[in-house]
């Protein structure tokens, strides 16, 4: 397969065993001496300008940052320059960037050919006119070229909105009510979807404050990688309005943090067909990253609808979209021609020429440079190097990857699973597990701070995205820096119930 970033697929059973072992022992983290005298000292001595911006930000921005991912321990770094594989903070410190904006910049940060095309467009028509621009057609046609099953595409402002639109379409198309998602998966922050976030079985326990319980009335979650549980849910729902759609991230929830078997997606497709539900692939992370043809190309599974985000706008703002078979996508058609059964979508700045041209150019560049494959190889190299270090230092950490999506679990904060406990344990038992998860999350962020102090930016200390800009030399340099951190890791007595 051309331009595919995944060269191997780990058995989820093996990874889950390793993760279970990790969470069944106390936390291992950088020791206090190293944390106080090296990590925090770095922030105190060398990040004074970042700190000053953060101090001022706290007066005007809730929590001091405008984006959840930007909140890092002990305080957020203020970035000033981005270039390929590197970020530079306001104090001039240079970092190897494995956050890559949370995934959109598979070509590397601030990639020149996309930037140039965006500037040309800005000179021509500015960022938005409110009327049709050719770039809107170009990006839809380009996506169709690589994902033929996305016969039609409507560009929206974010992944969150696109998920909302897809659920509406599914209910209109099937006349059914329930949406089944996979426990732990993130599909944006719309009311119906802030359910079962991060931890399978957590339902509305973790993040759903401020959302009326009735919003979750038709949202169900099932355990990742468990087709039996999915089938039971589909059967159950037949008696309460049926299932309109099963919504999944094809590499597993949270960008594959909870890996799935290679044939899992085919199994979900079969079940959707059997029970008359639409299959929606959330390819916000995987679209144009794991392969130019997306995870649907890699797994050779045809979803009814696909959700796009991140790379779809080439790393530029307003990144989202829904596409799929004509009969479904047509339900979002603009104008009155659609008649009464229309899935209403909108957004003043949705599908602006800037986002469309950036996405169109980025997809063309991903094809030209073979970016998915290059970034995937770098992901393999990074993951293999991390595994070797973990073994050499006798650490319980777990590293695995799906091409350019690399997971490094140091505390297993994301590996809890409440789904089988819900009916078995008391509410207090569940809450204890929840507290323990936060203790582990805290430690994960401490590891993230140690990586940052050694010049590596990660996503919350546990996920790393590689890009076209990475080279073997950059990866090897990053591994030297990880080694510097791992040398100072010790077992603690924290993290057990
Ligand atoms: C799989 C997945 N779906 C949906 C979303 C939401 O996208 P957005 O942040 O553009 O609203 C995200 C965001 O990280 C995501 O990872």
């Amino acid at each position: 397969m051309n331009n595919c970033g995944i060269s191997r697929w780990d058995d989820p059973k093996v990874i889950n065993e390793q993760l279970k072992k990790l969470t069944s022992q106390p936390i291992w983290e950088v020791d206090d001496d190293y944390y106080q005298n090296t990590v925090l000292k770095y922030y105190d001595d060398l990040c004074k300008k970042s700190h000053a911006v953060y101090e001022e930000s706290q007066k005007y921005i809730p929590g001091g940052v405008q984006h959840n991912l930007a909140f890092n321990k002990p305080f957020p770094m203020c970035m000033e320059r981005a270039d390929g594989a590197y970020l530079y903070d306001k104090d001039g410190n240079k970092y190897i960037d494995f956050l890559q904006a949370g995934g959109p910049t598979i070509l590397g940060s601030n990639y020149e050919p996309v930037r140039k095309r965006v500037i040309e467009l800005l000179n021509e028509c500015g960022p938005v006119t409110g009327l049709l621009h050719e770039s809107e057609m170009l990006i839809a046609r380009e996506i169709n070229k690589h994902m033929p099953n996305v016969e039609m595409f409507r560009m929206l402002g974010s992944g969150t909105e696109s998920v909302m639109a897809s659920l509406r379409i599914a209910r209109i198309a099937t006349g059914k009510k329930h949406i089944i998602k996979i426990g732990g998966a993130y599909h944006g922050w719309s009311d119906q979807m802030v359910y079962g976030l991060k931890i399978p079985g957590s339902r509305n326990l973790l993040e759903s404050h401020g959302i009326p319980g009735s919003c979750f009335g038709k949202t169900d979650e099932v355990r990742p990688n468990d087709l039996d549980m999915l089938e039971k849910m589909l059967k159950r729902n037949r008696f309460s309005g049926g299932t309109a759609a099963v919504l999944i991230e094809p590499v597993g929830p949270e960008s594959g943090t909870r890996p799935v078997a290679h044939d899992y997606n085919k199994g979900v497709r079969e079940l959707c067909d059997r029970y008359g539900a639409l299959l929606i692939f959330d390819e916000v992370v995987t679209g144009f990253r794991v392969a130019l043809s997306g995870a649907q190309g890699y797994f050779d599974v045809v979803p009814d609808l696909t959700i796009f985000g991140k790379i779809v706008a080439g790393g530029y703002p307003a990144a989202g979209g829904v596409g799929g078979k004509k009969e479904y996508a047509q339900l979002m058609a603009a104008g009155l021609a659609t008649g009464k059964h229309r899935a209403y979508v909108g957004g003043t700045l949705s599908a602006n020429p800037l986002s469309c041209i950036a996405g169109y150019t980025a997809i063309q560049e991903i094809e030209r440079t073979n970016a998915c494959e290059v970034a995937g190889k770098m992901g393999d190299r990074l993951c293999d190097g991390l595994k070797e270090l973990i073994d050499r230092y006798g650490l319980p950490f777990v590293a695995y990857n799906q091409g350019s999506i690399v997971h490094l679990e140091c505390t297993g904060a994301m590996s809890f699973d409440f789904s089988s406990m819900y009916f078995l344990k008391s509410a207090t038992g569940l809450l204890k597990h929840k507290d323990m998860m936060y203790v582990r999350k805290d430690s994960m962020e401490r590891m993230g701070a140690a990586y940052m102090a050694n010049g590596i930016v990660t996503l919350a200390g546990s996920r790393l995205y590689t890009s076209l800009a990475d080279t073997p030399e950059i990866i090897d340099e990053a591994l030297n820096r990880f080694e510097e951190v791992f040398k100072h890791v010790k077992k603690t007595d924290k993290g057990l119930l």
Side-chain angles (χ1 to χ4, degrees):
M1 189 179 158
N2 277 342
N3 211 343
C4 177
I6 301 185
S7 65
R8 59 194 183 200
W9 193 259
D10 290 327
D11 182 349
K13 279 194 206 120
V14 175
I15 295 168
N16 287 333
E17 267 313 304
Q18 292 172 340
L19 290 170
K20 209 165 152 194
K21 230 164 129 188
L22 175 66
T23 48
S24 63
Q25 58 176 300
I27 289 170
W28 293 57
E29 64 182 16
V30 283
D31 63 46
D32 287 341
D33 179 43
Y34 181 73
Y35 190 63
Q36 296 297 334
N37 299 318
T38 303
V39 175
L40 294 186
K41 192 169 170 6
Y42 169 83
Y43 283 84
D44 284 346
D45 294 352
L46 295 173
C47 307
K48 290 187 190 321
K49 289 184 182 166
S50 275
H51 191 248
V53 173
Y54 176 56
E55 287 285 292
E56 194 64 7
S57 293
Q58 279 175 298
K59 293 185 204 158
Y60 303 104
I61 303 174
V65 290
Q66 299 282 20
H67 194 288
N68 296 339
L69 285 184
F71 191 85
N72 289 309
K73 257 181 191 295
F75 56 82
M77 285 293 138
C78 178
M79 292 301 167
E80 200 159 70
R81 197 154 74 82
D83 183 14
Y86 298 106
L87 285 176
Y88 301 81
D89 70 20
K90 204 165 167 56
D91 293 274
N93 302 304
K94 181 177 177 180
Y95 303 86
I96 299 175
D97 176 15
F98 291 128
L99 174 61
Q100 287 296 331
T105 51
I106 190 164
L107 294 161
S109 281
N110 205 359
Y111 184 73
E112 194 179 351
V114 177
R115 184 176 69 239
K116 276 191 165 157
R117 188 64 195 94
V118 165
I119 292 170
E120 272 170 28
L121 175 121
L122 288 175
N123 287 332
E124 285 156 18
C125 69
V128 65
T129 66
L131 295 176
L132 178 66
H133 189 272
E134 190 182 11
S135 58
E136 296 166 38
M137 176 277 291
L138 291 175
I139 188 169
R141 196 172 67 187
E142 189 71 12
I143 292 173
N144 172 257
K145 179 174 130 190
H146 301 296
M147 300 183 187
N149 142 66
V150 180
E151 293 170 353
M152 290 189 145
F153 168 77
R154 176 124 185 208
M155 187 109 172
L156 294 166
S158 67
T160 299
E161 292 168 39
S162 309
V163 168
M164 286 161 53
S166 73
L167 305 187
R168 237 170 244 182
I169 295 169
R171 288 191 172 116
I172 295 171
T174 61
K176 296 177 181 173
K177 302 264 186 288
H178 287 258
I179 305 296
I180 303 179
K181 63 160 291 202
I182 312 301
Y186 179 66
H187 297 290
W189 53 283
S190 66
D191 282 355
Q192 295 174 80
M193 285 291 112
V194 182
Y195 186 81
L197 288 201
K198 298 184 179 125
I199 308 298
S202 62
R203 301 186 183 196
N204 55 356
L205 259 181
L206 292 182
E207 301 281 10
S208 55
H209 312 287
I211 305 174
S214 55
C215 291
F216 309 121
K218 296 289 182 236
T219 308
D220 306 308
E221 61 157 311
V222 294
R223 200 183 292 117
N225 203 29
D226 187 339
L227 291 172
D228 289 340
M229 191 171 181
L230 176 58
E231 178 153 27
K232 278 190 189 125
M233 190 66 81
L234 286 160
K235 273 188 186 155
R236 194 202 71 175
N237 287 351
R238 283 190 305 194
F239 304 102
S240 57
T243 303
V246 178
L247 171 62
I248 61 173
E249 279 180 86
V251 295
E254 272 289 346
S255 308
T257 299
R258 294 171 189 280
V260 294
H262 197 278
D263 58 0
Y264 175 73
N265 291 287
K266 282 214 163 95
V268 178
R269 176 73 272 180
E270 279 165 26
L271 287 175
C272 284
D273 290 342
R274 198 174 311 151
Y275 291 87
L278 297 199
L279 173 60
I280 307 176
F281 269 10
D282 181 340
E283 295 236 36
V284 165
V285 171
T286 52
F288 320 113
R289 174 171 286 282
V290 299
L292 194 53
S293 56
Q296 52 199 274
Y298 172 70
F299 288 113
D300 193 20
V301 170
V302 177
D304 298 298
L305 288 169
T306 302
I307 310 296
F308 295 89
K310 301 191 192 275
I311 294 173
V312 82
Y316 283 74
V322 190
K325 295 177 183 164
K326 225 174 231 175
E327 62 184 297
Y328 304 131
Q330 192 73 40
L331 290 167
M332 288 176 290
L336 297 175
T338 46
K340 56 186 176 179
H341 291 301
R342 170 175 168 188
Y344 192 78
V345 299
T348 306
L349 293 189
S350 285
N352 61 79
L354 186 153
S355 313
C356 291
I357 206 69
Y360 171 61
T361 313
I363 297 167
Q364 286 184 315
E365 284 296 303
I366 290 167
E367 182 176 23
R368 187 183 68 79
T369 58
N370 209 15
C372 300
E373 199 175 318
V374 175
K377 282 198 177 122
M378 293 304 106
D380 288 349
R381 189 179 183 98
L382 181 60
C383 185
D384 291 345
L386 287 169
K387 282 183 188 163
E388 193 274 322
L389 286 175
I390 290 167
D391 281 352
R392 183 139 50 88
Y393 284 88
L395 303 174
F397 301 168
V398 185
Y400 53 100
N401 71 314
Q402 295 99 4
S404 60
I405 310 170
V406 181
H407 305 269
L408 172 59
E409 291 294 338
C410 294
T411 68
M414 293 293 287
S415 311
F416 285 82
D417 186 343
F418 298 166
S419 33
S420 45
M421 295 169 51
Y422 213 84
F423 302 102
L424 303 174
K425 301 244 172 172
S426 64
T428 39
L430 251 180
L431 289 175
K432 265 196 200 163
H433 274 82
K434 184 178 147 192
D435 291 345
M436 198 40 66
M437 188 198 83
Y438 283 122
V439 171
R440 285 183 174 261
K441 184 167 173 287
D442 195 55
S443 172
M444 177 175 102
E445 287 167 7
R446 174 175 164 128
M447 292 298 290
Y451 303 143
M452 185 80 94
N454 281 277
I456 298 175
V457 184
T458 62
L459 194 158
S462 70
R463 197 180 310 152
L464 306 105
Y465 290 113
T466 51
S467 78
L468 175 71
D470 288 316
T471 61
E473 293 71 31
I474 293 173
I475 299 296
D476 294 349
E477 175 53 31
L479 288 168
N480 289 337
R481 296 178 192 195
F482 275 111
E483 179 167 10
E484 193 50 39
V485 176
F486 288 178
K487 270 183 201 166
H488 298 280
V489 168
K490 303 249 161 58
K491 189 176 184 172
T492 69
D493 55 8
K494 297 184 294 187
L496 290 184
L497 284 172

